[in-house]
Amino acid sequence: MQTPDLFADQPLDPHIAIGAQAFVLPGCALPYLDALLPAIDAIVEAAPWRQMVTPGGFTMSVALTNCGALGWTSDRRGYRYSATDPQSGQAWPAMPAVFSALAQHAANLAGFSHFQPDACLINRYRPGTKLSLHQDRDERDYGQPIVSVSLGMPAIFLFGGQTRAGKSTKIPLKHGDVMVWGGVDRLRFHGVLPLEDQPHPLLGGQRINLTFRKAG
Ligand code: MD6
Ligand code: FE
């Protein structure tokens, strides 16, 4: 049962609807930063940034790593989730508690309760790098949402339609913003425009994106 009057004078967690089941949660990650940034450093130490090759033979401009039980990988044979880092043969670093806590909090705010991510893809953008329009369809259950955290330099996120030809909306994302999407918006095309060089006070000349999924 809701008790509307009790919190009537408190501001709601800010959220911007960009689809029926897609939201930007501005600044949602900021309270987690003190724990989040050292945790990212530890993951990168164990599983360093690398640029992967797409099935089409192109090297991605964005560098990536993963944490959690499953990690997203790409090579000439295709895209897949793997329990091990192909570079080391070892399991990916475990998902830190602060990662899961943030992802669950954001999913709850967006109306997806009980989100339990088993994969976190970590992308690193440098000035000039971009991510072409794509769908996220390598996961088993499209009923599960995706939670995406932006850190460091700002970016323009392209939020497209259900087909590649659909019209895209440009969504500015800044340090600490979180996007959550699922349900009817789960397979929307999306991408990131080439990053401008606007160094960030904490993270310098990079944007780091954490994308949480329930992949397996
Ligand atoms: C990025 N994100 O923001 C790339 N995919 O760096 C994605 O490709 C993405 O942010 C699915 C859901 C949210 C995302
Ligand atoms: Fe994606």
Side-chain angles (χ1 to χ4, degrees):
M1 248 281 280
Q2 294 259 354
T3 49
D5 293 344
L6 193 55
F7 298 108
D9 55 352
Q10 308 232 340
L12 291 172
D13 282 304
H15 62 278
I16 300 161
I18 54 171
Q21 291 183 280
F23 303 91
V24 179
L25 308 172
C28 181
L30 294 177
Y32 296 81
L33 280 185
D34 288 351
L36 212 51
L37 297 182
I40 294 171
D41 288 342
I43 291 164
V44 170
E45 181 117 345
W49 300 117
R50 80 287 307 270
Q51 284 171 271
M52 288 193 173
V53 175
T54 66
F58 296 98
T59 299
M60 295 176 68
S61 66
V62 173
L64 65 82
T65 185
N66 289 280
C67 69
L70 292 171
W72 185 87
T73 66
S74 175
D75 61 22
R76 288 304 301 244
R77 291 176 297 142
Y79 304 125
R80 74 190 80 80
Y81 281 95
S82 165
T84 52
D85 175 349
Q87 202 158 281
S88 66
Q90 307 288 307
W92 296 105
M95 193 176 304
V98 59
F99 275 44
S100 326
L102 168 57
Q104 276 166 10
H105 175 64
N108 272 322
L109 291 178
F112 300 98
S113 47
H114 312 295
F115 179 52
Q116 294 205 299
D118 57 11
C120 179
L121 167 63
I122 309 176
N123 288 318
R124 185 197 61 190
Y125 296 74
R126 295 289 197 189
T129 63
K130 64 170 175 105
L131 194 65
S132 305
L133 268 191
H134 66 278
Q135 290 173 297
D136 287 19
R137 49 188 315 157
D138 303 315
E139 301 75 28
R140 189 163 298 186
D141 178 5
Y142 298 151
Q144 296 286 331
I146 294 175
V147 173
S148 172
V149 177
S150 291
L151 300 169
M153 296 203 299
I156 307 283
F157 191 84
L158 283 181
F159 195 55
Q162 305 283 358
T163 65
R164 188 175 291 281
K167 196 170 154 324
S168 296
T169 311
K170 288 183 181 152
I171 299 169
L173 293 176
K174 61 183 192 317
H175 181 65
D177 291 351
V178 179
M179 281 183 58
V180 183
W181 61 23
V184 297
D185 293 313
R186 176 63 177 72
L187 290 176
R188 297 269 293 260
F189 277 83
H190 58 278
V192 178
L193 290 183
L195 242 71
E196 288 188 27
D197 193 359
Q198 297 175 267
H200 184 269
L202 274 182
L203 288 169
Q206 59 180 343
R207 169 177 184 258
I208 294 178
N209 170 255
L210 314 177
T211 304
F212 294 92
R213 295 89 182 268
K214 173 87 178 77

